[in-house]
Amino acid sequence: MERRTIEPRPGWQQTVEEQGLIYPLTRYPDDSLRPYWDESAYYVFSLDEVEALEEVVEELHRMCLRAADHIVTTDRFADLGITDPRIAAAVAEAWRRRVELPSVYGRFDLRYDGTGPAKLLEYNADTPTSLVEAASPQWFWMEERFPGADQWNSLHERLIAAWKKQAALLPPGSPLYFAYSSADELGEDLMTVAYLQETAEQAGLDTAWISMEEIGWERLSGRFVDKQLRFIRSCFKLYPWEWLTTDRFADHVLDTLDNGGGTGSTLWIEPAWKMLLSNKALLAVLWELYPGHPNLLPAHLDGPRELARATGYVAKPLLGREGAGVTVHEPGAAPVVREEPCCYQELAPLPDFDGNRVVLGAWVVEDESAGLGIRESSGLITDEYARFLPHVIL
């Protein structure tokens, strides 16, 4: 793994926008605009390195599925902050019927510097973003800058194949809706959903487009409907399950949930069992089940324990996006147990490449490794000001 600098292509901003990345710039607090898509540098991997990382990702995915089964069979829902019996029952039922429920994708965030084993930082399994830039612009960048080279990137083909395979699991006679929240001012959710809808259409699925705010409730029939009062039988949503099960329509969601048994009204993708994997408590459960595993960091739910003295730790809210609420505690500092439920994970500072802190976003589609996206940040926390850099296998 190596970081190399390179001169950006002339007109790069227009190029990546035409390839689906609608926000190639990030607005900073001082109102300046700086590249989010950053092709002033790129990362190089060897083929052996990528193949080894692919094996790690697929092993981590299998371990996470076993941890999810452990949570359900031992009734550990409270550790995830799931205290509503109806939600716990819905998640457990979804897990038991998971072979009947479409699940598309997820993203592992890994610490890796090219020298030691990759370490799992977290699993974004319910509403992962940065998919478009990983699948499209960086592939075309490689073809233009390094023709004949390769990239850890089969995302587009695997997504289409996944939709084709899962078409039989979808309710017949109605389109698959794709929903995003219009409250997302940046447009990241909109862009991600539009791309996933495109891959579903290329797989031959009948699709429709809607925002979460436009989904209505038809009282007489007891169904979710679109603006034309058409029944929403299945819906991919880039809207976290913890919101879907707690907002003002939560009772309707649970009352009409199709969990693969064909008796409900609306089938949601990703399925409810993804709540088991998108929760930071998963990191602590993994460490309990696989203590000392080379690709895991020690993690606990009841406090930092020995981490406060020995290595330092990171406190992560059980639910959150883009580093929100994450705090870093150096070794030797007095341990702090926060009132908000958190996972306390060993501090493993992100590797520093020329002053840039790097995290690898390794994608799975269904159960297979599918691609890589790299983000850089200036600090230890990968936040909304992170930059996306392309990579190549040489």
Side-chain angles (χ1 to χ4, degrees), residues 52 54 95 105 108 136 150 155 161 207 230 248 251 292 300 325:
E54 286 182 316
W95 175 252
Y105 71 142
F108 287 97
S136 178
D150 202 359
L155 278 163
T207 71
R230 294 176 298 190
R248 63 193 183 97
D251 287 341
H300 311 294

Side-chain angles (χ1 to χ4, degrees), residues 206-259:
D206 180 21
T207 71
W209 177 261
I210 196 169
S211 73
M212 293 298 297
E213 290 77 9
E214 291 173 330
I215 296 176
W217 176 254
E218 214 285 305
R219 294 180 181 276
L220 291 178
S221 62
R223 293 175 169 181
F224 286 110
V225 295
D226 65 14
K227 291 189 296 184
Q228 286 75 44
L229 298 182
R230 294 176 298 190
F231 178 26
I232 298 177
R233 188 66 184 83
S234 58
C235 182
F236 175 91
K237 86 288 179 291
L238 205 68
Y239 192 78
W241 268 103
E242 64 265 22
W243 297 355
L244 200 64
T245 54
T246 56
D247 68 15
R248 63 193 183 97
F249 288 102
D251 287 341
H252 298 322
V253 170
L254 295 172
D255 287 342
T256 63
L257 182 61
D258 184 339
N259 248 343

